[in-house]
Amino acid sequence: MILKGSQRAGAAQLAAHLLNDRDNDHVTVLELRGFVADDLHGAFHEAQAVAQGTRCQQYLFSLSFNPPKGAEVGEAEFERAADEAEKRLGLSGQPRAVILHEKEGRRHAHVVWSRIDADKMRAVNMAHFKTK
């Protein structure tokens, strides 16, 4: 699995990009966990609102999961990969969204976490995330 991650802001733009069915044949919001909202725009707006109580500018962490060409990966495998990445990145228990895209028969996933620990009102430190 090829992974690409980034810390980011821009909740509304990210939600619009992830829900874009013009460039993708199929878009599925597989999971929204830890948010009050039941839609992606609302969930990311929530993350932005919580972050305003901190000094964190890049309050989201986005990770794309791209299987090798020709590999068929099911929902359960994407969820297991997201769970493992979450542990290694120190984001266990943080609110997250899992979105599946299918384009020209190729399936890949995007997982987005809120970096803000709402109990402590601090961002989860993402130092050296590319090596984790």
Side-chain angles (χ1 to χ4, degrees):
M1 190 96 50
I2 300 164
L3 306 176
K4 183 178 180 187
S6 65
Q7 297 176 93
R8 57 176 302 145
Q13 297 89 343
L14 181 58
H17 169 71
L18 292 174
L19 294 174
N20 177 359
D21 60 0
R22 190 177 48 237
D23 294 334
N24 297 289
D25 299 332
H26 297 283
V27 175
T28 304
V29 177
L30 185 61
E31 176 186 61
L32 281 178
R33 179 196 74 199
F35 298 103
V36 175
D38 60 359
D39 68 291
L40 195 61
H41 282 282
F44 287 1
H45 183 74
E46 247 178 78
Q48 181 179 13
V50 171
Q52 287 180 347
T54 71
R55 289 184 284 163
C56 182
Q57 298 297 309
Q58 296 179 320
Y59 50 90
L60 298 173
F61 186 78
S62 175
L63 187 60
S64 63
F65 294 79
N66 293 296
K69 195 171 192 169
E72 301 244 352
V73 179
E75 292 176 4
E77 288 87 2
F78 280 122
E79 287 191 77
R80 277 195 297 275
D83 290 342
E84 182 63 27
E86 183 173 286
K87 285 181 211 166
R88 290 185 186 205
L89 292 167
L91 292 167
S92 294
Q94 288 300 110
R96 84 175 183 192
V98 180
I99 301 91
L100 298 179
H101 286 170
E102 188 172 328
K103 185 175 184 176
E104 299 172 5
R106 184 177 129 322
R107 193 178 222 193
H108 64 282
H110 300 270
V111 182
V112 181
W113 290 269
S114 169
R115 291 185 51 225
I116 307 301
D117 179 331
D119 293 333
K120 297 177 184 174
M121 288 307 288
R122 297 190 64 120
V124 173
N125 185 358
M126 300 299 298
H128 310 293
F129 69 83
K130 290 185 181 186
T131 58
K132 292 179 182 178

